[in-house]
């Protein structure tokens, strides 16, 4: 299955965009084969999960400037592969 790729349209530089936030309305989300490139502007992680019960099956973070993943420690979160 082809990956879901979130990347920069312009410059291919680490931290050129903030990244992805899965907030409260993303509860019970499941994403397969996610690739995030060139994210992590400032102190933003490439993937910030604040929603409960999120599952990511297959995550690749490339050329991030800051943390790859930040998860609220009170949530059910599953990351495989």
């Amino acid at each position: 299955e082809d990956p879901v790729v979130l990347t920069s349209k312009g410059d291919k530089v680490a931290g050129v965009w903030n990244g992805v936030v899965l907030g409260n309305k993303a509860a019970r989300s499941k994403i397969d084969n996610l690739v995030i490139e060139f994210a992590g502007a400032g102190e933003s992680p490439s993937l910030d999960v604040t929603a409960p019960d999120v599952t990511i099956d297959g995550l690749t973070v490339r050329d991030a400037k800051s943390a790859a993943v930040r998860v609220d420690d009170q949530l059910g979160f599953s990351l495989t592969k």
Side-chain angles (χ1 to χ4, degrees):
E1 190 170 314
D2 290 335
V4 175
V5 179
L6 302 175
T7 190
S8 168
K9 181 178 178 182
D11 294 335
K12 303 298 185 192
V13 177
V16 75
W17 64 290
N18 286 337
V20 178
V21 177
L22 296 177
N24 292 335
K25 294 189 181 208
R28 295 176 304 281
S29 292
K30 182 177 188 303
I31 303 173
D32 293 333
N33 301 319
L34 176 61
V35 177
I36 301 173
E37 300 174 324
F38 309 108
E43 294 184 20
S44 298
S46 296
L47 176 63
D48 192 357
V49 180
T50 61
D53 301 318
V54 170
T55 299
I56 308 286
D57 186 7
L59 172 65
T60 302
V61 177
R62 294 186 190 124
D63 298 308
K65 187 172 183 179
S66 62
V69 179
R70 177 173 50 201
V71 178
D72 184 323
D73 64 358
Q74 302 297 312
L75 304 174
F77 177 75
S78 174
L79 177 63
T80 57
K81 295 184 188 178

